[in-house]
Amino acid sequence: MPQIRPITDLRNTTEISELCHAKNEPIFITKNGYGDLVIMSMETYETLTAPPAGKQEGMCFLTEKSPIWAGMLADVLRQHDIPFVKESSLGAGLAIKTGSLAETLRFFVPAARLAEAEELVEELFAEKSE
């Protein structure tokens, strides 16, 4: 169960630090009864932001997009036979807690196909000025 603490608890930094390290998960901080911050230990942050476990060697970060745009990008990469791995930026627990609007998806492609994939991303998401 996620820890939810009021912002006034941040006055005791030692206790919050110990809690972050003991729980190994983000702690949600509220302000006036509403969600305001998420804090976590460096180890937890590194675990949440690490490349996916099944990601093959030689895969490179391509981009990060919202779920709607991520679906479109995945379709285009498939059409061009570019292998990819996508992962949530939040992880399942945080995605459920914060909602899908806060979630983004990270794309990784083989290093040998990175330039081609970057061109596709540029074509798809470049701002058109008229």
Side-chain angles (χ1 to χ4, degrees), residues 40-93:
M40 64 188 83
S41 68
M42 289 297 294
E43 294 85 8
T44 301
Y45 176 78
E46 289 168 358
T47 300
L48 290 174
T49 60
K55 188 171 84 73
Q56 302 108 353
E57 278 300 311
M59 297 291 273
C60 297
F61 176 75
L62 173 63
T63 190
E64 189 169 324
K65 296 291 177 191
S66 68
I68 292 171
W69 297 116
M72 184 172 69
L73 177 58
D75 288 342
V76 169
L77 291 172
R78 281 189 204 99
Q79 290 169 5
H80 287 83
D81 295 319
I82 299 176
F84 65 92
V85 173
K86 68 180 178 179
E87 69 171 5
S88 171
S89 61
L90 298 177

Side-chain angles (χ1 to χ4, degrees), residues 89-102:
S89 61
L90 298 177
L94 281 178
I96 291 169
K97 180 69 177 168
T98 61
S100 62
L101 294 178

